[in-house]
Amino acid sequence: MALSEVLFPLISISRHRIGIDGEGVTSLVSGAGCPLRCRFCINEEVLLRAKPKAVSPQELYEKVSCDDLYYRATGGGITFGGGESLLQAAFFAPFRAVCPAEWKLFAETSLAVPRENVALAAGSIDEFIVDCKDMDKDIYHRYTGGDVALMEENLRFLLDEAGPRRVIVRVPLIPDHNTEESRGRSISRLKDMGVTRLDVFSYVRPEERPKRRFRKYTFGT
Ligand code: SF4
């Protein structure tokens, strides 16, 4: 398949996001599919029910280029989210080829993907926003159903391949699942691995989210 024929399973585009998922003004481009099943997934309804539309790099460019001036003026660009954005890693290089070099490309990811997807993405994505959940094996598995070793190995690879300046790691406090202490241990471990950019924050239980916010934030890892 030619690179220009790689398609992206588009669920939605959220425009004019400021300082949420990347520098400057960004458009969040959300794709279908995720290998994890997080307990508080804000995207569950979308993952289960959404009907994606397959778009080519040029078609996606045409959908997001209306905000070209905002991206250029603020150092922003396009944030790929999901679901799991790195499932679509083969799409990033052909999309990079059709969009202006001034646009930044960001990817929100859990890194719960094969190594080759991370390597492909590192060639085109300017900045990675990694949600690590928790570095403890049991907490991670209970919360996501996945294996923390895969995320950790991919994070080590990404730090080597892209360098720490291109990697932000989100470290959440997850109600009923981890504690300040376990989060502190995760932070220490991440720093030992060479992570220099951390975003420390708290998840909100689904039932405690304001309805409007819950509808609005349908995407992200
Ligand atoms: S990684 Fe993100 S999209 Fe996937 S299940 Fe977890 S919260 Fe949902």
Side-chain angles (χ1 to χ4, degrees), residues 34 36-38 41 43 47 83 110 133 220-221:
C34 182
L36 299 182
R37 288 294 175 268
C38 299
C41 180
N43 308 321
L47 291 175
S110 66
K133 320 296 182 188
T221 62

Side-chain angles (χ1 to χ4, degrees), residues 33-44 47 82-84 109-110 112 131 133 143-144 203 219-221:
C34 182
L36 299 182
R37 288 294 175 268
C38 299
R39 292 294 177 101
F40 297 163
C41 180
I42 52 180
N43 308 321
E44 194 172 359
L47 291 175
E84 172 49 60
T109 177
S110 66
D131 191 346
K133 320 296 182 188
Y143 182 68
T144 68
Y203 284 169
F219 306 110
T221 62

Side-chain angles (χ1 to χ4, degrees), residues 6-22:
V6 178
L7 300 176
F8 185 90
L10 178 65
I11 291 177
S12 79
I13 297 171
S14 175
R15 294 170 60 198
H16 302 162
R17 294 167 68 90
I18 302 174
I20 300 172
D21 39 32

